[in-house]
Amino acid sequence: DGAMYRIGMLAALRSMKLGGNTVGIMVTASHNPHADNGVKLVDPDGGMLSQAWEQHATAVANAPEATLSATLLSVSSSEGLGDTSGGRVLIGRDTRAHSAGLAAIAAQGARAIGGVAEDAGLLTTPQLHHLVRMGNGEKGAGPLYGKEAWASEGGYYAMLSE
């Protein structure tokens, strides 16, 4: 549970670094045994978390509870974040019984540092990537190669059918 809270914090910081563009969190472990949990972070361009931020993810995930605040401040400082507000996080989840609770914990983590979290509900991982990319529009990664109407779950299916 603590790992999901920290992932929510990290995703909000990443969004803040990128001017408030939405960052995605996917709660999934589809290829793991039922008891194992997994999480994926999606950058505003719809791709996976930038490799440049992997070191921050590792530091936040592994920080002892007593030094978590200092670790988060270190990430903020190294990324030049003066104002830690305005981060946006979109959270999707799979069908496992515990995924909704884990998604709620990630949302609490994002909110704890001034971020805004939105629960996108049940999605596939590709759908979350799509929603993040299309939801950020051109500010997320440059020109869109599709219709603005595709910026929804229903739009995902429309895109695939065209």
Side-chain angles (χ1 to χ4, degrees):
D1 293 356
M4 294 305 290
Y5 190 82
R6 291 170 183 227
I7 290 297
M9 293 174 149
L10 183 72
L13 286 176
R14 179 71 175 146
S15 173
M16 292 170 195
K17 170 65 179 177
L18 298 172
N21 283 330
T22 300
V23 169
I25 296 175
M26 185 67 196
V27 179
T28 183
S30 58
H31 303 290
N32 295 329
H34 184 76
D36 290 347
N37 301 317
V39 64
K40 297 176 182 175
L41 288 172
V42 179
D43 256 355
D45 65 357
M48 296 305 294
L49 177 69
S50 167
Q51 285 187 340
W53 270 63
E54 290 290 335
Q55 65 184 2
H56 298 321
T58 300
V60 170
N62 294 326
E65 191 65 33
T67 63
L68 179 58
S69 291
T71 301
L72 292 166
L73 282 172
S74 176
V75 170
S76 295
S77 176
S78 70
E79 293 296 331
L81 294 173
D83 177 23
T84 55
S85 64
R88 298 190 48 79
V89 180
L90 181 65
I91 304 171
R93 56 188 160 80
D94 66 14
T95 59
R96 294 173 185 231
H98 56 271
S99 292
L102 294 173
I105 292 168
Q108 289 172 356
R111 291 183 191 115
I113 61 165
V116 174
E118 179 184 345
D119 181 1
L122 294 173
L123 296 172
T124 65
T125 301
Q127 285 174 319
L128 181 69
H129 284 265
H130 173 83
L131 291 175
V132 168
R133 171 66 176 106
M134 295 300 288
N136 283 315
E138 293 190 359
K139 65 183 179 178
L144 289 177
Y145 301 102
K147 304 172 184 175
E148 286 187 26
W150 291 351
S152 67
E153 185 178 356
Y156 175 81
Y157 294 110
M159 176 193 70
L160 292 176
S161 68
E162 288 188 19

